[in-house]
Amino acid sequence: QVQLVESGGGLVQPGGSLRLSCAASASSFRINAMGWYRQAPGKQRELVAVITSDGSTDYGDSVKGRFTIPRDNSKNTVYLQMNSLKPEDTADYYCNARVKHVLCVNDYWGQGTQGTVSS
C-alpha cells in the first residue's frame, strides 16, 4: 500500500504562485513515478506533471514553462511549484503514485487539494 498526504493549495491572485506538497509512505515496494493531476469542475482529470524514479519529468502542455515538480528523496516527497498562475488553473489537484509490479500497475491517489486562482 502507498499512502499519500497532500498539503498546500488555497486562494491566489492571477500571476501569483502556489506550492503543493505530497508525502508518500510505501511498504516493501518501490514507487516508479509520482505526479500531479488536476480536475476542474465539469472537466476530466488531466496530467499536470510527473517525475519518474530516475528523475525524468513530463508536463501537461498548458503548464509547461510555469510549473515544476521538484522532489526530496530523503523525505519521499514531491512538490508542485506553480508560478504565473491563471484563472484556468483553478482545480482540485491530486497527487499520484504509480507502482509497477510484474503483472500489473497500481495507481494510488491522495485526497486532493483545491487551488483557486481569482482576483
Side-chain angles (χ1 to χ4, degrees):
Q1 276 285 7
V2 177
Q3 294 184 339
L4 303 172
V5 178
E6 301 165 357
S7 59
L11 173 64
V12 65
Q13 291 187 341
S17 298
L18 277 177
R19 182 179 171 97
L20 308 181
S21 300
C22 176
S25 62
S27 58
S28 73
F29 47 72
R30 183 167 166 265
I31 295 173
N32 298 98
M34 291 186 69
W36 292 93
Y37 291 72
R38 68 184 181 186
Q39 187 167 17
K43 295 187 176 181
Q44 290 188 334
R45 190 173 293 189
E46 63 174 356
L47 170 70
V48 178
V50 63
I51 184 165
T52 64
S53 56
D54 64 1
S56 300
T57 58
D58 193 20
Y59 296 92
D61 288 341
S62 62
V63 306
K64 286 180 180 177
R66 300 187 297 124
F67 292 11
T68 59
I69 185 168
R71 69 180 179 183
D72 185 338
N73 288 333
S74 67
K75 298 180 180 179
N76 227 17
T77 298
V78 294
Y79 306 91
L80 184 66
Q81 180 64 46
M82 303 185 286
N83 299 325
S84 303
L85 283 162
K86 306 174 183 180
E88 51 264 42
D89 293 316
T90 295
D92 291 323
Y93 286 76
Y94 297 90
C95 180
N96 167 268
R98 174 160 290 186
V99 177
K100 295 181 180 178
H101 302 283
V102 173
L103 297 177
C104 65
V105 175
N106 284 345
D107 280 310
Y108 299 89
W109 296 93
Q111 78 279 7
T113 185
Q114 189 174 50
T116 302
V117 185
S118 175
S119 55

